[in-house]
Amino acid sequence: MTTLAVALAAQWPQAESTRRLIAEVDPSGGDLAMRFGLSATPGLVSLAAAARRTHGPGVVWEHTQALPGGARVLAAPPGGGHARAALSTLTATPNGPSLLHAVAGEAGVVVLADCGRVDPGSPAEAIARRADALVLVTGTQGDDLAHTAARLGELAGWTPRPGLLLTGEGYPTVDVERELGVSAIGRLPHDPAAAALISGHRRAPARRRGSGGLARQTAALARALATPAAPPSVAAPPQAHAVGMVPGVPAQQVRHQPGTTVSTPIGHRPSIPPLRPPMPVPPLGNGLSRNGHQPSTFGKEPLP
């Protein structure tokens, strides 16, 4: 998720005229200070202390540092205990949870909040619920999807514009969409060389045959997220209103009710409708192609 946030900041439309802020609000700790050789402060900890005294959104920028490429980062400490304590303090402050949202409301500003795993009771929930768009990222192996299915319906209701993003190798997208009953807004390829460069590693691993495309797919996702949501007054088929939309992505057939499909208009893609209960474990292992890959132990929870 952290790598995706950095990639989106780099690929954001009109990046040269947009103030881009990556906020590490993952209660398990941050990575970007270590990856890019930044100072331990300023960052999330110093902002949590300052937010008790200052309420204006300008205080957020005072606690950020520069990343290569011009983006700014609100860096979290690497230790989970310190990060959770700072985040809990920030979100408990009366105006704390709304600070990042207020910054994002400024002209020419985009805030990409890395909320980490969305475990129940996460202090990052207060920030995620104020997001203009919520991207849930999941792997596509059976164990990844079982955890995603367990919380997908709840997380989809956090914001009016949610989207499910798939990553890596595993079950085909069409099988994942069928089993979860929702449509993905995209799929990021397994591209370790590009991911290493984005993550700040100086020496990237050799590119494998068949890998690549991470920058291209991230750029497409950034354009979709940067596209304003269609106003409620825009005419659309009744079925499309029932599932919601994420603009900027090509049309796709989406399961709406058993035995029916909904065709979305060109330039739109459905966001996440409520998950069909019950769905404790997606039955992807019964006769479906595994693409020759073993179950992953990474990504036990979806990430916003």
Side-chain angles (χ1 to χ4, degrees), residues 72-146:
R72 306 287 298 183
V73 59
L74 177 67
H82 290 96
R84 177 174 284 271
L87 186 58
S88 298
T89 298
L90 180 64
T91 55
T93 302
N95 294 320
S98 62
L99 277 178
L100 292 177
H101 191 264
V103 171
E106 297 176 338
V109 173
V110 60
V111 175
L112 302 163
D114 174 7
C115 298
R117 301 182 189 278
V118 284
D119 299 311
S122 169
E125 178 179 342
I127 294 173
R129 284 183 175 274
R130 287 172 168 80
D132 298 307
L134 182 69
V135 178
L136 308 175
V137 184
T138 181
T140 52
Q141 301 290 356
D143 51 348
D144 303 319
L145 297 170

Side-chain angles (χ1 to χ4, degrees), residues 11 169 189-198 203-217:
Q11 298 286 349
E169 301 169 336
H190 180 64
D191 191 349
L197 291 174
I198 293 169
R203 298 186 62 182
R207 187 178 295 274
R208 300 190 322 170
R209 181 181 179 183
S211 67
L214 179 60
R216 182 177 64 256
Q217 295 295 333

Side-chain angles (χ1 to χ4, degrees), residues 139-142 145 166-176 187-190 208-210 284-296:
T140 52
Q141 301 290 356
L145 297 170
L166 308 180
T167 65
E169 301 169 336
Y171 290 109
T173 299
V174 64
D175 292 341
V176 174
R187 182 165 184 158
L188 299 181
H190 180 64
R208 300 190 322 170
R209 181 181 179 183
L284 289 170
N286 299 327
L288 299 180
S289 170
R290 291 291 304 274
N291 290 348
H293 300 289
Q294 296 300 316
S296 167

